[in-house]
Amino acid sequence: MKLLAVGTVAYDAIETPFGKTDKILGGAATYIGLAASKLGAEVNLVSVIGGDFKPEYIEVFHKNSIGIEGVKKIEDGKTFFWSGKYHIDMNNRDTLITELNVLENFEPKIPESQKNSEIVMLGNLHPAIQLSVLEQMTDKPKLVILDTMDFWMNTAWDSLLQIISKVDVLTVNDAEARQLSGEFSLVKAAKKIQSMGPKVVIIKKGEHGALLFNENKIFFAPALPLEDVFDPTGAGDTFAGGFAGYITQTADLSYENMKKAIIVGSALASFTVEKFGTEKLQELSSLEYENRLNEFKNLTEYNYSF
Ligand code: AMP
């Protein structure tokens, strides 16, 4: 199977209590692509960049075998820019700057050879763009996963509901699940979201792990308690890319496999937060990944009889 992922390819400037970066490589599609490629999944991105996008960052995609035929370069435009600041409580961040730049008039165009991708990951973007990607698919994808955020709930409610009604899996964080559903209980929130379209709802709870809802069943994957959290940027996208990448790579859409996929997503996200931006994900070795999966196993494994 192959994975098609749409989302931002961005410049991010990040400030945390541990330091500050200038414009570095970021964007939802970037994290999704890196996470999926680390799992050996075939992944192609659909996005847009400006003439200012550094060749060394293009090289990052090539080096990781991430397809960028669908990433359009607008020579006289500027790359999407986002800047955020984290305080001591790294669960919350302030967005300082969002410059849409080339994203403002972005009309995604999927290369012909990718219109039959079996798995589609609609990364965080305007819902109308997500919808346009879905409409270009010639073969109905086997699984469509949608990620979104409060920004689109506040600014594009109707088209957000439209795209939500067309997807199989929705990933949101706990605050977004509450906003989308109007329910405080995450169980009730997930049920309400399921009634809007997606059969499967994944609620990300940051350092408290992630919940997977499928029909009446609930599964929980923890986040690894880490000694050092350096920069949480991209954790949610890495999680989504790990989830989508694992399903693509194993070609197994069952609920049992989705349980594994959220553990894989959590494991990869735990690397992203250890360094600034995409740095840790880029240098990640397969041995480090295998070891971390074992740490997850040890964290939750119990075999007691009660
Ligand atoms: P995450 O920390 O996983 O929620 O995502 C962080 C990434 O989202 C950053 O690399 C940003 O470039 C990107 N981003 C921030 N705001 C937006 C937005 N409004 N639309 C799309 N991507 C965004």
Side-chain angles (χ1 to χ4, degrees):
M1 287 193 181
K2 56 179 186 277
L3 170 63
L4 183 74
V6 61
T8 40
V9 171
Y11 278 140
D12 288 349
I14 304 159
E15 196 178 332
T16 80
F18 308 105
K20 208 174 155 167
T21 70
D22 284 329
K23 287 186 174 182
I24 56 169
L25 177 62
T30 304
Y31 285 102
I32 292 167
L34 280 168
S37 74
K38 289 288 160 188
L39 302 170
E42 181 182 344
V43 55
N44 295 295
L45 305 186
V46 174
S47 193
V48 62
I49 52 174
D52 59 347
F53 198 73
K54 287 186 189 163
E56 67 192 76
Y57 289 156
I58 296 279
E59 208 34 53
V60 171
F61 295 114
H62 291 323
K63 243 177 49 198
N64 288 280
S65 307
I66 299 168
I68 52 167
E69 198 191 331
V71 178
K72 192 172 164 53
K73 187 170 186 185
I74 313 269
E75 287 298 343
D76 58 354
K78 279 174 75 184
T79 301
F80 172 80
F81 173 58
W82 175 81
S83 171
K85 180 175 176 169
Y86 297 84
H87 304 280
I88 255 319
D89 169 11
M90 299 272 262
N91 285 320
N92 292 308
R93 70 180 172 210
D94 296 331
T95 289
L96 304 178
I97 304 169
T98 302
E99 284 176 12
L100 292 179
N101 298 332
V102 287
L103 207 65
E104 207 146 358
N105 299 309
F106 177 44
E107 287 175 12
K109 223 174 158 315
I110 307 177
E112 274 318 308
S113 61
Q114 295 165 20
K115 288 186 175 172
N116 61 354
S117 300
E118 292 86 352
I119 313 287
V120 176
M121 172 79 231
L122 302 172
N124 180 24
L125 263 185
H126 194 296
I129 297 178
Q130 295 174 320
L131 194 64
S132 153
V133 166
L134 213 49
E135 283 171 352
Q136 289 176 54
M137 301 304 288
T138 47
D139 298 17
K140 189 176 157 32
K142 292 192 172 17
L143 195 76
V144 181
I145 305 154
L146 175 78
D147 190 29
T148 189
M149 71 189 292
D150 52 353
F151 184 75
W152 308 118
M153 294 175 204
N154 298 332
T155 59
W157 181 254
D158 289 344
S159 46
L160 182 61
L161 288 188
Q162 202 185 345
I163 186 71
I164 287 178
S165 73
K166 293 179 188 300
V167 305
D168 304 296
V169 181
L170 177 76
T171 71
V172 277
N173 70 30
D174 40 2
E176 290 157 355
R178 289 183 171 122
Q179 183 174 350
L180 188 58
S181 63
E183 297 283 356
F184 181 78
S185 149
L186 292 180
V187 177
K188 282 189 182 159
K191 276 197 184 135
K192 193 132 175 211
I193 296 169
Q194 282 170 320
S195 75
M196 297 173 177
K199 238 184 85 183
V200 175
V201 175
I202 298 172
I203 301 183
K204 301 171 280 186
K205 288 157 60 69
E207 64 171 330
H208 304 298
L211 291 162
L212 170 70
F213 295 87
N214 177 39
E215 291 164 1
N216 286 326
K217 298 186 282 284
I218 308 178
F219 180 72
F220 172 68
L224 195 70
L226 293 167
E227 226 169 283
D228 294 308
V229 174
F230 217 67
D231 168 23
T233 308
D237 301 314
T238 306
F239 174 88
F243 176 83
Y246 188 75
I247 288 175
T248 306
Q249 208 268 334
T250 53
D252 178 351
L253 309 181
S254 69
Y255 175 58
E256 282 309 307
N257 202 48
M258 284 189 189
K259 288 181 181 177
K260 285 184 173 176
I262 68 165
I263 294 171
V264 166
S266 274
L268 286 171
S270 75
F271 286 114
T272 292
V273 304
E274 284 183 332
K275 287 196 176 174
F276 270 113
T278 58
E279 199 182 331
K280 183 68 203 180
L281 213 48
Q282 280 191 53
E283 68 187 26
L284 182 66
S285 73
S286 40
L287 183 64
E288 282 176 296
Y289 167 68
E290 296 296 334
N291 286 341
R292 186 138 302 177
L293 276 182
N294 276 329
E295 284 184 65
F296 266 81
K297 245 180 127 181
N298 294 335
L299 185 68
T300 50
E301 196 171 59
Y302 50 81
N303 224 344
Y304 310 130
S305 44
F306 293 99

